[in-house]
Amino acid sequence: MDHLGQILPFWTVSFFLLLLLSIAIFPLTHGRFWESNRNKGIVAGILSVPVVILFITYGNLQPLIHSIEEYFSFIILLGALFVISGGIF
């Protein structure tokens, strides 16, 4: 089975590049807009929708599910470290 990176066209990287550019440019050009975490989440969500659609189109959701599992395990680890260090009373 081919890896997903060998199957997807090169232009699919553009969504990641747009996210990096928005992180670099929006604080300078739209400072008030970029201050809100909600707006940052909206931008990230909008740019992630095409990527999820690509994963669904190519029928390989396993890398996406694996990344979500790693994310949640990392958040649980951070929470555990926070509790162990005495951050919650």
Side-chain angles (χ1 to χ4, degrees):
M1 184 168 145
D2 291 332
H3 294 286
L4 194 58
Q6 296 171 342
I7 298 171
L8 291 175
F10 187 69
W11 61 267
T12 56
V13 179
S14 64
F15 303 111
F16 179 67
L17 292 175
L18 284 173
L19 182 61
L20 288 179
L21 285 173
S22 66
I23 291 171
I25 294 173
F26 278 175
L28 301 174
T29 59
H30 299 86
R32 284 298 238 188
F33 173 80
W34 199 249
E35 286 178 3
S36 171
N37 286 335
R38 185 180 129 254
N39 293 338
K40 292 174 193 173
I42 289 171
V43 170
I46 289 171
L47 291 174
S48 67
V49 168
V51 175
V52 172
I53 291 172
L54 282 171
F55 276 110
I56 292 171
T57 302
Y58 284 96
N60 192 359
L61 290 175
Q62 190 59 34
L64 187 63
I65 292 170
H66 180 69
S67 296
I68 291 171
E69 289 173 354
E70 282 186 357
Y71 173 76
F72 281 117
S73 67
F74 178 69
I75 294 300
I76 290 170
L77 173 68
L78 286 180
L81 292 174
F82 185 71
V83 170
I84 289 170
S85 68
I88 297 180
F89 298 100

